[in-house]
Amino acid sequence: MKTYLVTGGAGFIGSNYIHYLFEKYGSAANIINLDKLTYAGNLENLRDVESNNNYRFVKGDICDASVVDPLVREADIVINFAAESHVDRSIGAPDDFIKTDIYGAFMLLEAARKHGVEKFVQISTDEVYGSIIDGSFKETDVLEPSSPYSASKAGADRLAYSYFVTYDLPVIITRCSNNYGPCQYPEKLIPLFVTNALEDKSLPIYGDGKNVRDWIYVRDHCDAIEFLVHHGDDGQVYNIGAGEERMNIEITDLILKYLKKPDSLKMYVQDRLGHDRRYSVDTAKIAALGWQPSHSFEQAMQDTIQWYIDHKKWWARLKSGEYKEYYKAHYKREL
Ligand code: NAD
Ligand code: DAU
């Protein structure tokens, strides 16, 4: 029976991944969730699995060696999701990004080197390549991250690789495109726009709204990670994407149409500093191993919007109090 150490498991993708592991293995895998519970960590996401005997939650910081070391010693497989993940926050206050995303990854890699693990998966991002106007990035392309967030992720990405080259640690690095699905913090484009529209509040579109992202359903991302744990080659980087490129304005229109809300909710606002125009990854490498996404964009988007309709309690709490104050101070407008 394998023991997974999932860091950042109370966040959006981490909690979906823990659900995915339960569905796949039931009680046949041990799962340890190490999470600091920052504003983005939410144990509500895991209420339905927390009483399982093969699941354990540990509140702690991946930057703290005394926390990380004994947990990595127990683990066969480490999946490092823990990160500060929101680009806008990294523009306003990069400190925690450098600490968690780089130094935290370093602490985990050091513990893995000391104790040995079967697999160490560093969850990187397609943002490490920077923007591309035509074509798609391959895994061998140069990294040109353009925000403090993506630069910190690029640092961890290459640090993980160095542990493979230097210490022979069985590292796999994944670079996935934009995820959507249940339990995403309502500061990211899709949950922010869906929940604002549900409350008849305006949808703040940065710049001309023509920036492009490739949208992948979070379950497909989880499936790809698990596939790579078993079929990926050590020391390799794998792009993950769905080939569903959309301009932000198209996502906005789709949300308004599904919710039957008026166009007048669209509000063009000042652009994000250093805003990457387009992300696009070439996924031929993981496809050649035999993996491809299985959810259709249209259906998974509908399911996602419906999830936010059905879980108002989940997001209404997050959109009040502390986050409301943060949003007002940072964006100079009401949430
Ligand atoms: P998230 O912000 O929803 O969750 C991050 C989690 O990490 C939270 O639970 C938070 O409490 C925890 N955390 C933060 N700092 C920590 C620390 N020092 N120690 C322990 N836990 C800490 O992020 P997400 O969207 O779920 O992203 C997860 C990972 O996937 C990140 O590494 C991100 O860079 C990467 N990624 C995200 C996307 C996306 O579209 N969301 C796409 C590609 C890659
Ligand atoms: O590409 C993968 C990355 O996707 C991950 O590594 C990041 O963790 C994740 O946050 C996401 O980054 P983005 O910056 O692409 O996601 P975000 O949801 O913040 O923005 C998506 C697009 O929508 C982007 O072009 C900016 C725009 N946007 C975003 C917000 C929050 C708006 O126009 N208005 C908004 O209010």
Side-chain angles (χ1 to χ4, degrees):
M1 178 140 133
K2 301 292 181 198
T3 296
Y4 283 75
L5 173 61
V6 178
T7 71
F12 165 47
I13 307 174
S15 62
N16 275 283
Y17 184 68
I18 289 173
H19 281 111
Y20 175 93
L21 289 179
F22 269 108
E23 282 162 36
K24 193 170 171 88
Y25 299 114
S27 56
N30 282 319
I31 301 162
I32 306 169
N33 172 12
L34 169 61
D35 199 297
K36 187 180 172 183
L37 296 185
T38 66
Y39 76 95
N42 186 351
L43 291 178
E44 286 300 313
N45 301 347
L46 297 155
R47 283 285 172 251
D48 52 336
V49 297
E50 67 184 7
S51 60
N52 284 282
N53 290 332
N54 57 326
Y55 171 80
R56 190 162 106 235
F57 171 68
V58 178
K59 184 175 188 301
D61 190 335
I62 60 165
C63 297
D64 183 345
S66 70
V67 173
V68 163
D69 194 79
L71 297 177
V72 172
R73 195 174 58 212
E74 275 186 66
D76 300 299
I77 297 157
V78 178
I79 316 280
N80 183 27
F81 290 103
E84 287 294 334
S85 70
H86 192 42
V87 174
D88 289 334
R89 288 182 189 251
S90 85
I91 294 167
D95 307 42
D96 284 343
F97 289 76
I98 311 306
K99 285 180 196 140
T100 291
D101 299 11
I102 304 179
Y103 190 76
F106 166 57
M107 284 293 100
L108 288 163
L109 288 161
E110 272 295 279
R113 172 163 86 94
K114 184 169 154 196
H115 299 296
V117 291
E118 275 179 32
K119 206 64 82 186
F120 186 108
V121 182
Q122 173 60 21
I123 305 297
S124 188
T125 167
D126 67 350
E127 294 202 15
V128 296
Y129 296 112
S131 189
I132 187 166
I133 296 306
D134 299 307
S136 303
F137 286 118
K138 288 189 191 317
E139 288 84 349
T140 45
D141 281 330
V142 170
L143 305 189
E144 285 187 308
S146 38
S147 72
Y149 161 68
S150 52
S152 71
K153 292 296 291 184
D157 176 315
R158 292 299 79 199
L159 190 66
Y161 178 68
S162 80
Y163 272 63
F164 166 72
V165 176
T166 309
Y167 307 115
D168 217 13
L169 193 72
V171 166
I172 285 179
I173 297 145
T174 64
R175 296 181 185 150
C176 189
S177 63
N178 285 59
N179 286 222
Y180 62 96
C183 301
Q184 187 169 30
Y185 198 86
E187 65 187 350
K188 306 280 166 67
L189 179 78
I190 290 176
L192 178 70
F193 280 20
V194 172
T195 58
N196 274 15
L198 285 170
E199 294 187 300
D200 295 311
K201 291 179 176 165
S202 53
L203 314 186
I205 301 162
Y206 296 165
D208 63 4
K210 292 186 180 162
N211 299 65
V212 173
R213 299 291 184 266
D214 167 19
W215 293 97
I216 185 170
Y217 189 48
V218 65
R219 298 282 303 191
D220 280 330
H221 185 191
C222 295
D223 190 53
I225 294 165
E226 190 52 23
F227 175 85
L228 290 171
V229 166
H230 300 288
H231 305 288
D233 289 326
D234 293 344
Q236 293 296 308
V237 176
Y238 294 94
N239 289 338
I240 302 169
E244 297 288 358
E245 294 187 23
R246 300 285 188 285
M247 289 189 286
N248 294 335
I249 194 68
E250 294 178 274
I251 298 289
T252 310
D253 286 335
L254 188 154
I255 291 169
L256 290 175
K257 189 173 169 204
Y258 188 83
L259 294 175
K260 298 189 174 60
K261 295 288 181 178
D263 259 17
S264 56
L265 287 183
K266 289 181 193 167
M267 177 177 72
Y268 287 90
V269 298
Q270 195 190 343
D271 210 352
R272 173 185 278 175
L273 296 179
H275 195 175
D276 285 330
R277 192 62 170 169
R278 174 173 173 259
Y279 296 139
S280 181
V281 283
D282 181 327
T283 54
K285 188 170 172 181
I286 190 171
L289 284 184
W291 186 86
Q292 56 182 25
S294 62
H295 292 84
S296 88
F297 174 79
E298 286 70 22
Q299 187 59 53
M301 267 298 285
Q302 281 186 24
D303 293 348
T304 298
I305 297 173
Q306 194 58 46
W307 189 88
Y308 290 94
I309 294 172
D310 296 339
H311 292 80
K312 180 163 184 189
K313 238 172 116 184
W314 183 91
W315 54 261
R317 185 180 66 79
L318 300 179
K319 287 182 87 169
S320 62
E322 202 185 314
Y323 177 52
K324 202 170 179 175
E325 292 309 309
Y326 161 81
Y327 194 90
K328 198 171 160 185
H330 182 83
Y331 296 95
K332 314 281 180 249
R333 57 175 176 266
E334 295 292 334
L335 181 65

